[in-house]
Amino acid sequence: MKHELKKAEDNVSTVMRFVLLGFSDLSKLQGFVFGVFSIIYLIIIIGNSLVIILTRLDPALQKPMYFFLANFSLLEISYVTVILPKMLVNLWTQDRSISLLECATQMCFSLMLGATECFLLAVMAYDRYVAICNPLYYPLVMNQKMCVQLAVGSWVIGIPVQIGQTAQIFCLHFCDSNKINHLFSDIPPIIKLACGDTFVHEMSVYTVAILFVALPFMLIFASYSKIISTILKLPTASGQAKAFSTCSSHLLVVVLLFGSAAIPYLRPKSYHSAEADKLLSLFYTIVTPMFNPMIYSLRNKDVIAALRKILS
């Protein structure tokens, strides 16, 4: 496939259009992969939309925990919509090209929403910490104003930093190849295409990853350390089981997300493998958003009860 080139003033050829290789190595399975991903996309939209509807309609779910869960479901829909439709178009048309502007836009929104996801999970952990460790103060601390402020803060905190990082990445010169060996526009595979010394940009990526991935994870770890310590001090086994059940779903989602999403950004460049990165990106961009509504609903009696009310 021909790619457009633009001669820069310093006589270096700058790529103006990229090619997302994606699943090009599975040429005989393009239709099957398209069908599977289309079904997954529908499941993600329906499952997360159902969580949002339930938390809005059922009075029993008018609690801070479910307010944050609704935000999380909206985030999952947004994040997958930034990535998956373009992937489906590429599979259907077999035209894997993407313009520089489209590539930058997709990267910017995926990074912003990824940062939101990390901080929103930290906020949800803090909510569980207050509910279990300071139950008498919970209605005062997690009031409506505080919940809205925490949710809005999670949504906007990454916007200026990720816009700046995206601009920095796309100020690089991409000299030789325009083929991105990945499923979508992401930082590690695009930096690989840059010519010249990219050390400063790589250090910038690590710094931002520590800020938006490691910091929320440490906050979550601190919250759950206190939560587990408090639960173990409860006098009855039934009380311990009930307390664990309220936060086990969230903890499972945290492990799945951070375990798969942090590796591509915090791993040294020399250890990057295109196939491994594709598998990890599939996990945190598609698999976890599909299973998150199931994890939260199937393990939550209030959500199941609300679903039964609507169905009946």
Side-chain angles (χ1 to χ4, degrees):
M1 180 182 295
K2 293 183 179 180
H3 60 272
E4 299 173 23
L5 297 174
K6 180 181 178 181
K7 290 291 182 179
E9 291 181 359
D10 56 358
N11 225 18
V12 176
S13 296
T14 303
V15 173
M16 296 300 293
R17 200 166 188 85
F18 293 101
V19 176
L20 287 166
L21 295 181
F23 298 100
S24 57
D25 52 337
L26 302 175
S27 56
K28 295 181 180 180
L29 297 174
Q30 299 294 296
F32 174 76
V33 175
F34 174 84
V36 170
F37 280 12
S38 297
I39 293 170
I40 290 175
Y41 188 44
L42 285 175
I43 292 172
I44 292 170
I45 297 297
I46 293 170
N48 285 284
S49 297
L50 187 59
V51 170
I52 295 171
I53 293 168
L54 289 175
T55 56
R56 293 290 295 173
L57 295 182
D58 196 286
L61 302 183
Q62 303 302 308
K63 301 174 183 177
M65 181 173 76
Y66 300 110
F67 170 74
F68 294 127
L69 180 56
N71 272 267
F72 189 71
S73 293
L74 177 61
L75 174 66
E76 295 286 55
I77 293 172
S78 304
Y79 187 73
V80 172
T81 301
V82 168
I83 293 169
L84 202 48
K86 178 62 178 176
M87 202 184 301
L88 291 172
V89 169
N90 292 349
L91 287 166
W92 181 257
T93 64
Q94 296 299 298
D95 178 10
R96 298 182 176 87
S97 65
I98 183 171
S99 70
L100 192 72
L101 180 60
E102 287 178 310
C103 195
T105 302
Q106 187 183 61
M107 176 188 286
C108 187
F109 276 97
S110 64
L111 290 175
M112 288 190 297
L113 293 170
T116 299
E117 189 163 23
C118 293
F119 278 98
L120 192 56
L121 285 171
V123 167
M124 293 168 77
Y126 175 71
D127 171 70
R128 291 299 84 207
Y129 160 74
V130 178
I132 294 172
C133 300
N134 299 286
L136 296 179
Y137 292 97
Y138 184 70
L140 297 175
V141 176
M142 300 304 293
N143 55 59
Q144 185 177 10
K145 182 180 178 181
M146 175 61 77
C147 291
V148 171
Q149 288 176 340
L150 289 171
V152 171
S154 298
W155 280 94
V156 304
I157 192 170
I159 292 176
V161 175
Q162 300 299 2
I163 289 176
Q165 185 170 52
T166 303
Q168 184 186 44
I169 294 297
F170 282 90
C171 283
L172 292 168
H173 286 299
F174 305 99
C175 309
D176 302 319
S177 175
N178 70 331
K179 295 180 180 179
I180 303 173
N181 192 12
H182 203 53
L183 306 177
F184 58 93
S185 176
D186 202 7
I187 293 177
I190 288 181
I191 285 185
K192 280 185 178 180
L193 301 182
C195 53
D197 187 8
T198 60
F199 177 78
V200 174
H201 297 84
E202 289 175 47
M203 289 301 102
S204 173
V205 172
Y206 292 140
T207 302
V208 173
I210 289 171
L211 179 63
F212 289 106
V213 178
L215 178 59
F217 182 78
M218 292 305 295
L219 293 173
I220 293 168
F221 181 80
S223 296
Y224 275 102
S225 296
K226 294 290 291 181
I227 288 170
I228 292 171
S229 175
T230 301
I231 289 175
L232 293 176
K233 293 176 184 177
L234 294 176
T236 63
S238 60
Q240 292 179 353
K242 184 178 179 181
F244 269 122
S245 68
T246 63
C247 56
S248 59
S249 298
H250 177 254
L251 193 56
L252 179 59
V253 171
V254 168
V255 171
L256 290 174
L257 174 69
F258 281 92
S260 59
I263 295 173
Y265 295 98
L266 296 176
R267 187 171 49 180
K269 184 179 179 181
S270 57
Y271 290 91
H272 274 282
S273 164
E275 298 308 316
D277 286 351
K278 284 182 185 180
L279 288 174
L280 287 169
S281 66
L282 270 180
F283 199 81
Y284 68 79
T285 60
I286 296 174
V287 176
T288 55
M290 179 176 65
F291 284 111
N292 283 346
M294 302 177 197
I295 292 171
Y296 279 112
S297 59
L298 294 178
R299 297 175 62 87
N300 190 297
K301 293 180 180 179
D302 291 339
V303 175
I304 293 173
L307 182 60
R308 285 175 177 168
K309 284 181 185 177
I310 288 182
L311 293 178
S312 61

